[in-house]
PDB file of all heavy atoms in Angstrom:
ATOM      1  N   TYR A 566     121.920 104.602 122.114  1.00 51.00           N
ATOM      2  CA  TYR A 566     122.302 104.610 123.531  1.00 51.00           C
ATOM      3  C   TYR A 566     121.630 105.757 124.269  1.00 51.00           C
ATOM      4  O   TYR A 566     121.119 105.584 125.381  1.00 51.00           O
ATOM      5  CB  TYR A 566     123.822 104.730 123.646  1.00 51.00           C
ATOM      6  CG  TYR A 566     124.313 104.901 125.068  1.00 51.00           C
ATOM      7  CD1 TYR A 566     124.411 103.804 125.921  1.00 51.00           C
ATOM      8  CD2 TYR A 566     124.669 106.157 125.560  1.00 51.00           C
ATOM      9  CE1 TYR A 566     124.849 103.954 127.232  1.00 51.00           C
ATOM     10  CE2 TYR A 566     125.115 106.322 126.858  1.00 51.00           C
ATOM     11  CZ  TYR A 566     125.201 105.220 127.695  1.00 51.00           C
ATOM     12  OH  TYR A 566     125.628 105.371 128.985  1.00 51.00           O
ATOM     13  N   THR A 567     121.630 106.944 123.643  1.00 60.00           N
ATOM     14  CA  THR A 567     121.004 108.112 124.261  1.00 60.00           C
ATOM     15  C   THR A 567     119.510 107.876 124.492  1.00 60.00           C
ATOM     16  O   THR A 567     118.967 108.199 125.552  1.00 60.00           O
ATOM     17  CB  THR A 567     121.195 109.357 123.372  1.00 60.00           C
ATOM     18  OG1 THR A 567     122.597 109.600 123.193  1.00 60.00           O
ATOM     19  CG2 THR A 567     120.555 110.577 124.000  1.00 60.00           C
ATOM     20  N   LYS A 568     118.856 107.290 123.498  1.00 66.00           N
ATOM     21  CA  LYS A 568     117.427 107.006 123.619  1.00 66.00           C
ATOM     22  C   LYS A 568     117.164 105.982 124.718  1.00 66.00           C
ATOM     23  O   LYS A 568     116.226 106.132 125.514  1.00 66.00           O
ATOM     24  CB  LYS A 568     116.887 106.490 122.283  1.00 66.00           C
ATOM     25  CG  LYS A 568     115.386 106.287 122.262  1.00 66.00           C
ATOM     26  CD  LYS A 568     114.904 105.888 120.875  1.00 66.00           C
ATOM     27  CE  LYS A 568     113.388 105.704 120.858  1.00 66.00           C
ATOM     28  NZ  LYS A 568     112.902 105.333 119.495  1.00 66.00           N
ATOM     29  N   ALA A 569     117.998 104.947 124.763  1.00 73.00           N
ATOM     30  CA  ALA A 569     117.835 103.914 125.789  1.00 73.00           C
ATOM     31  C   ALA A 569     118.053 104.473 127.189  1.00 73.00           C
ATOM     32  O   ALA A 569     117.314 104.144 128.128  1.00 73.00           O
ATOM     33  CB  ALA A 569     118.796 102.757 125.520  1.00 73.00           C
ATOM     34  N   MET A 570     119.053 105.328 127.338  1.00 70.00           N
ATOM     35  CA  MET A 570     119.325 105.936 128.639  1.00 70.00           C
ATOM     36  C   MET A 570     118.188 106.850 129.065  1.00 70.00           C
ATOM     37  O   MET A 570     117.821 106.905 130.240  1.00 70.00           O
ATOM     38  CB  MET A 570     120.640 106.721 128.592  1.00 70.00           C
ATOM     39  CG  MET A 570     121.879 105.854 128.676  1.00 70.00           C
ATOM     40  SD  MET A 570     121.929 104.848 130.199  1.00 70.00           S
ATOM     41  CE  MET A 570     121.978 106.129 131.459  1.00 70.00           C
ATOM     42  N   GLY A 571     117.618 107.574 128.094  1.00 73.00           N
ATOM     43  CA  GLY A 571     116.484 108.438 128.396  1.00 73.00           C
ATOM     44  C   GLY A 571     115.300 107.629 128.898  1.00 73.00           C
ATOM     45  O   GLY A 571     114.646 108.006 129.886  1.00 73.00           O
ATOM     46  N   LYS A 572     115.023 106.512 128.239  1.00 88.00           N
ATOM     47  CA  LYS A 572     113.934 105.634 128.660  1.00 88.00           C
ATOM     48  C   LYS A 572     114.205 105.049 130.034  1.00 88.00           C
ATOM     49  O   LYS A 572     113.306 104.959 130.882  1.00 88.00           O
ATOM     50  CB  LYS A 572     113.766 104.512 127.633  1.00 88.00           C
ATOM     51  CG  LYS A 572     112.671 103.506 127.958  1.00 88.00           C
ATOM     52  CD  LYS A 572     111.290 104.140 127.928  1.00 88.00           C
ATOM     53  CE  LYS A 572     110.203 103.101 128.128  1.00 88.00           C
ATOM     54  NZ  LYS A 572     108.851 103.728 128.199  1.00 88.00           N
ATOM     55  N   TYR A 573     115.460 104.671 130.279  1.00 91.00           N
ATOM     56  CA  TYR A 573     115.839 104.104 131.572  1.00 91.00           C
ATOM     57  C   TYR A 573     115.605 105.116 132.690  1.00 91.00           C
ATOM     58  O   TYR A 573     115.068 104.783 133.752  1.00 91.00           O
ATOM     59  CB  TYR A 573     117.303 103.674 131.537  1.00 91.00           C
ATOM     60  CG  TYR A 573     117.852 103.276 132.886  1.00 91.00           C
ATOM     61  CD1 TYR A 573     117.564 102.029 133.440  1.00 91.00           C
ATOM     62  CD2 TYR A 573     118.667 104.153 133.603  1.00 91.00           C
ATOM     63  CE1 TYR A 573     118.063 101.679 134.685  1.00 91.00           C
ATOM     64  CE2 TYR A 573     119.165 103.802 134.836  1.00 91.00           C
ATOM     65  CZ  TYR A 573     118.864 102.563 135.381  1.00 91.00           C
ATOM     66  OH  TYR A 573     119.357 102.216 136.621  1.00 91.00           O
ATOM     67  N   LYS A 574     116.005 106.357 132.458  1.00 92.00           N
ATOM     68  CA  LYS A 574     115.844 107.377 133.486  1.00 92.00           C
ATOM     69  C   LYS A 574     114.381 107.682 133.762  1.00 92.00           C
ATOM     70  O   LYS A 574     113.991 107.914 134.913  1.00 92.00           O
ATOM     71  CB  LYS A 574     116.585 108.654 133.080  1.00 92.00           C
ATOM     72  CG  LYS A 574     118.101 108.541 133.197  1.00 92.00           C
ATOM     73  CD  LYS A 574     118.780 109.871 132.961  1.00 92.00           C
ATOM     74  CE  LYS A 574     120.277 109.779 133.190  1.00 92.00           C
ATOM     75  NZ  LYS A 574     120.954 111.088 133.003  1.00 92.00           N
ATOM     76  N   VAL A 575     113.560 107.690 132.726  1.00 93.00           N
ATOM     77  CA  VAL A 575     112.123 107.924 132.932  1.00 93.00           C
ATOM     78  C   VAL A 575     111.519 106.796 133.760  1.00 93.00           C
ATOM     79  O   VAL A 575     110.720 107.031 134.663  1.00 93.00           O
ATOM     80  CB  VAL A 575     111.393 108.063 131.582  1.00 93.00           C
ATOM     81  CG1 VAL A 575     109.881 108.066 131.786  1.00 93.00           C
ATOM     82  CG2 VAL A 575     111.816 109.358 130.885  1.00 93.00           C
ATOM     83  N   ASN A 576     111.916 105.563 133.468  1.00 94.00           N
ATOM     84  CA  ASN A 576     111.436 104.425 134.265  1.00 94.00           C
ATOM     85  C   ASN A 576     111.894 104.549 135.718  1.00 94.00           C
ATOM     86  O   ASN A 576     111.144 104.225 136.647  1.00 94.00           O
ATOM     87  CB  ASN A 576     111.936 103.110 133.672  1.00 94.00           C
ATOM     88  CG  ASN A 576     111.220 102.739 132.387  1.00 94.00           C
ATOM     89  OD1 ASN A 576     110.104 103.187 132.140  1.00 94.00           O
ATOM     90  ND2 ASN A 576     111.863 101.935 131.562  1.00 94.00           N
ATOM     91  N   GLN A 577     113.131 105.017 135.906  1.00 95.00           N
ATOM     92  CA  GLN A 577     113.631 105.239 137.263  1.00 95.00           C
ATOM     93  C   GLN A 577     112.810 106.310 137.976  1.00 95.00           C
ATOM     94  O   GLN A 577     112.526 106.199 139.171  1.00 95.00           O
ATOM     95  CB  GLN A 577     115.103 105.664 137.211  1.00 95.00           C
ATOM     96  CG  GLN A 577     116.056 104.534 136.921  1.00 95.00           C
ATOM     97  CD  GLN A 577     116.125 103.535 138.070  1.00 95.00           C
ATOM     98  OE1 GLN A 577     115.461 102.494 138.039  1.00 95.00           O
ATOM     99  NE2 GLN A 577     116.900 103.843 139.080  1.00 95.00           N
ATOM    100  N   LEU A 578     112.432 107.352 137.250  1.00 96.00           N
ATOM    101  CA  LEU A 578     111.596 108.407 137.829  1.00 96.00           C
ATOM    102  C   LEU A 578     110.272 107.838 138.321  1.00 96.00           C
ATOM    103  O   LEU A 578     109.836 108.142 139.442  1.00 96.00           O
ATOM    104  CB  LEU A 578     111.346 109.496 136.782  1.00 96.00           C
ATOM    105  CG  LEU A 578     110.306 110.554 137.163  1.00 96.00           C
ATOM    106  CD1 LEU A 578     110.828 111.456 138.273  1.00 96.00           C
ATOM    107  CD2 LEU A 578     109.916 111.388 135.939  1.00 96.00           C
ATOM    108  N   LEU A 579     109.625 107.020 137.510  1.00 95.00           N
ATOM    109  CA  LEU A 579     108.353 106.408 137.906  1.00 95.00           C
ATOM    110  C   LEU A 579     108.536 105.570 139.166  1.00 95.00           C
ATOM    111  O   LEU A 579     107.708 105.619 140.084  1.00 95.00           O
ATOM    112  CB  LEU A 579     107.802 105.541 136.769  1.00 95.00           C
ATOM    113  CG  LEU A 579     107.527 106.227 135.431  1.00 95.00           C
ATOM    114  CD1 LEU A 579     106.905 105.246 134.455  1.00 95.00           C
ATOM    115  CD2 LEU A 579     106.642 107.441 135.593  1.00 95.00           C
ATOM    116  N   ASN A 580     109.631 104.812 139.213  1.00 95.00           N
ATOM    117  CA  ASN A 580     109.900 103.981 140.386  1.00 95.00           C
ATOM    118  C   ASN A 580     110.154 104.829 141.625  1.00 95.00           C
ATOM    119  O   ASN A 580     109.695 104.495 142.730  1.00 95.00           O
ATOM    120  CB  ASN A 580     111.110 103.078 140.123  1.00 95.00           C
ATOM    121  CG  ASN A 580     110.825 102.000 139.103  1.00 95.00           C
ATOM    122  OD1 ASN A 580     109.678 101.614 138.891  1.00 95.00           O
ATOM    123  ND2 ASN A 580     111.857 101.518 138.436  1.00 95.00           N
ATOM    124  N   GLN A 581     110.881 105.931 141.464  1.00 96.00           N
ATOM    125  CA  GLN A 581     111.175 106.801 142.598  1.00 96.00           C
ATOM    126  C   GLN A 581     109.894 107.417 143.172  1.00 96.00           C
ATOM    127  O   GLN A 581     109.703 107.454 144.389  1.00 96.00           O
ATOM    128  CB  GLN A 581     112.148 107.905 142.175  1.00 96.00           C
ATOM    129  CG  GLN A 581     113.557 107.414 141.939  1.00 96.00           C
ATOM    130  CD  GLN A 581     114.485 108.521 141.462  1.00 96.00           C
ATOM    131  OE1 GLN A 581     114.048 109.554 140.947  1.00 96.00           O
ATOM    132  NE2 GLN A 581     115.785 108.316 141.621  1.00 96.00           N
ATOM    133  N   MET A 582     109.016 107.901 142.302  1.00 96.00           N
ATOM    134  CA  MET A 582     107.771 108.520 142.763  1.00 96.00           C
ATOM    135  C   MET A 582     106.867 107.492 143.434  1.00 96.00           C
ATOM    136  O   MET A 582     106.234 107.772 144.452  1.00 96.00           O
ATOM    137  CB  MET A 582     107.049 109.185 141.593  1.00 96.00           C
ATOM    138  CG  MET A 582     107.828 110.335 140.960  1.00 96.00           C
ATOM    139  SD  MET A 582     108.191 111.692 142.087  1.00 96.00           S
ATOM    140  CE  MET A 582     106.588 112.503 142.166  1.00 96.00           C
ATOM    141  N   ALA A 583     106.835 106.285 142.882  1.00 94.00           N
ATOM    142  CA  ALA A 583     106.030 105.220 143.477  1.00 94.00           C
ATOM    143  C   ALA A 583     106.582 104.831 144.847  1.00 94.00           C
ATOM    144  O   ALA A 583     105.819 104.621 145.803  1.00 94.00           O
ATOM    145  CB  ALA A 583     106.000 104.008 142.551  1.00 94.00           C
ATOM    146  N   GLU A 584     107.907 104.752 144.962  1.00 95.00           N
ATOM    147  CA  GLU A 584     108.529 104.388 146.230  1.00 95.00           C
ATOM    148  C   GLU A 584     108.261 105.442 147.303  1.00 95.00           C
ATOM    149  O   GLU A 584     107.944 105.110 148.458  1.00 95.00           O
ATOM    150  CB  GLU A 584     110.033 104.198 146.057  1.00 95.00           C
ATOM    151  CG  GLU A 584     110.745 103.748 147.330  1.00 95.00           C
ATOM    152  CD  GLU A 584     112.209 103.440 147.124  1.00 95.00           C
ATOM    153  OE1 GLU A 584     112.674 103.481 145.963  1.00 95.00           O
ATOM    154  OE2 GLU A 584     112.910 103.159 148.121  1.00 95.00           O
ATOM    155  N   LEU A 585     108.365 106.715 146.938  1.00 96.00           N
ATOM    156  CA  LEU A 585     108.089 107.779 147.900  1.00 96.00           C
ATOM    157  C   LEU A 585     106.636 107.739 148.361  1.00 96.00           C
ATOM    158  O   LEU A 585     106.336 107.934 149.543  1.00 96.00           O
ATOM    159  CB  LEU A 585     108.401 109.144 147.280  1.00 96.00           C
ATOM    160  CG  LEU A 585     109.885 109.472 147.053  1.00 96.00           C
ATOM    161  CD1 LEU A 585     110.020 110.807 146.342  1.00 96.00           C
ATOM    162  CD2 LEU A 585     110.641 109.495 148.377  1.00 96.00           C
ATOM    163  N   THR A 586     105.727 107.468 147.436  1.00 95.00           N
ATOM    164  CA  THR A 586     104.306 107.377 147.784  1.00 95.00           C
ATOM    165  C   THR A 586     104.068 106.259 148.792  1.00 95.00           C
ATOM    166  O   THR A 586     103.366 106.448 149.801  1.00 95.00           O
ATOM    167  CB  THR A 586     103.462 107.133 146.517  1.00 95.00           C
ATOM    168  OG1 THR A 586     103.639 108.229 145.622  1.00 95.00           O
ATOM    169  CG2 THR A 586     101.989 106.989 146.865  1.00 95.00           C
ATOM    170  N   ILE A 587     104.633 105.099 148.525  1.00 93.00           N
ATOM    171  CA  ILE A 587     104.476 103.961 149.441  1.00 93.00           C
ATOM    172  C   ILE A 587     105.069 104.289 150.807  1.00 93.00           C
ATOM    173  O   ILE A 587     104.470 103.985 151.852  1.00 93.00           O
ATOM    174  CB  ILE A 587     105.154 102.706 148.852  1.00 93.00           C
ATOM    175  CG1 ILE A 587     104.395 102.239 147.609  1.00 93.00           C
ATOM    176  CG2 ILE A 587     105.232 101.589 149.889  1.00 93.00           C
ATOM    177  CD1 ILE A 587     105.095 101.139 146.843  1.00 93.00           C
ATOM    178  N   ASN A 588     106.232 104.936 150.827  1.00 95.00           N
ATOM    179  CA  ASN A 588     106.876 105.271 152.093  1.00 95.00           C
ATOM    180  C   ASN A 588     106.067 106.287 152.900  1.00 95.00           C
ATOM    181  O   ASN A 588     105.998 106.198 154.129  1.00 95.00           O
ATOM    182  CB  ASN A 588     108.283 105.812 151.839  1.00 95.00           C
ATOM    183  CG  ASN A 588     109.238 104.729 151.368  1.00 95.00           C
ATOM    184  OD1 ASN A 588     108.933 103.536 151.453  1.00 95.00           O
ATOM    185  ND2 ASN A 588     110.394 105.121 150.868  1.00 95.00           N
ATOM    186  N   ILE A 589     105.436 107.237 152.222  1.00 96.00           N
ATOM    187  CA  ILE A 589     104.594 108.217 152.917  1.00 96.00           C
ATOM    188  C   ILE A 589     103.397 107.518 153.545  1.00 96.00           C
ATOM    189  O   ILE A 589     103.065 107.735 154.716  1.00 96.00           O
ATOM    190  CB  ILE A 589     104.119 109.311 151.945  1.00 96.00           C
ATOM    191  CG1 ILE A 589     105.297 110.190 151.511  1.00 96.00           C
ATOM    192  CG2 ILE A 589     103.042 110.186 152.590  1.00 96.00           C
ATOM    193  CD1 ILE A 589     104.975 111.146 150.375  1.00 96.00           C
TER     194      ILE A 589
END
């Protein structure tokens, strides 16, 4: 579970950075 959550959060980070880039 810990490993899966870590992977999920990293994927969320990538999505957040991509979204901010598009918005800029």
Side-chain angles (χ1 to χ4, degrees):
Y566 174 79
T567 301
K568 185 175 181 179
M570 282 301 298
K572 179 65 175 176
Y573 171 78
K574 287 187 175 182
V575 170
N576 287 337
Q577 284 292 98
L578 171 70
L579 301 184
N580 290 336
Q581 288 178 339
M582 297 300 284
E584 183 175 355
L585 289 176
T586 299
I587 292 172
N588 289 347
I589 291 170

